[in-house]
């Protein structure tokens, strides 16, 4: 999958990459680290624990957190960072909310704190 979201309520698989840029805003929970790169609206997800679960990032843009964009890293902890590009969905200069989640199937095993940032071009 390309990792590019196409509409609200998007659920995409992450693409392998080197990692988020220095200064990216992040959320963390047991087994998952997720970051937001506001220049380009990319979300970075890393599985940090070899436990059979997978890592995900849930995000929204707008006035409240709804978790309607999901970036999943199902490749395991030895793969490292992966990202999803939501630039076609998030309007410039919008408030973006996200959190890291460790998942089992469609169920959440643990969640990080919800953090926010402004998107930019």
């Amino acid at each position: 999958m390309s990792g590019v979201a196409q509409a609200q309520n998007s659920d995409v698989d992450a693409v392998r990459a080197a990692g988020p840029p220095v200064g990216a805003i992040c959320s963390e929970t047991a087994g998952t680290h997720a970051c937001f790169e506001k220049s380009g609206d990319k979300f970075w997800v890393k599985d940090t624990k070899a436990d059979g679960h997978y890592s995900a990032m849930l995000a929204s843009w707008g006035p409240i957190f709804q978790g309607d964009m999901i970036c999943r890293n199902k490749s395991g902890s030895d793969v490292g960072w992966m990202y999803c590009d939501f630039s076609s969905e998030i309007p410039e200069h919008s408030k973006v909310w996200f959190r890291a989640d460790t998942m089992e199937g469609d169920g959440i095993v643990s969640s990080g704190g919800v953090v926010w940032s402004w998107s930019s071009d």
Side-chain angles (χ1 to χ4, degrees):
M1 199 167 220
S2 70
V4 177
Q6 297 176 2
Q8 280 290 343
N9 296 318
S10 295
D11 185 344
V12 298
D13 291 324
V15 176
R16 190 172 185 174
V22 173
I25 297 166
C26 301
S27 173
E28 190 170 2
T29 187
T32 301
H33 198 95
C35 299
F36 176 62
E37 178 184 352
K38 66 181 181 178
S39 177
D41 297 329
K42 288 182 181 174
F43 290 92
W44 299 84
V45 183
K46 184 177 184 181
D47 186 336
T48 61
K49 194 173 185 182
D51 58 5
H53 303 304
Y54 69 91
S55 296
M57 176 284 317
L58 276 69
S60 312
W61 61 268
I64 61 171
F65 177 73
Q66 297 176 17
D68 49 11
M69 294 181 290
I70 304 171
C71 178
R72 298 176 192 270
N73 176 353
K74 294 183 176 180
S75 298
S77 61
D78 55 343
V79 171
W81 285 101
M82 299 184 79
Y83 79 93
C84 294
D85 183 343
F86 287 98
S87 60
S88 64
E89 284 190 50
I90 301 171
E92 293 181 16
H93 310 294
S94 295
K95 192 171 192 177
V96 177
W97 304 82
F98 73 98
R99 75 173 187 226
D101 284 327
T102 298
M103 309 284 291
E104 177 68 38
D106 288 332
I108 297 170
V109 175
S110 66
S111 292
V114 175
V115 295
W116 70 273
S117 176
W118 294 105
S119 68
S120 63
D121 51 328

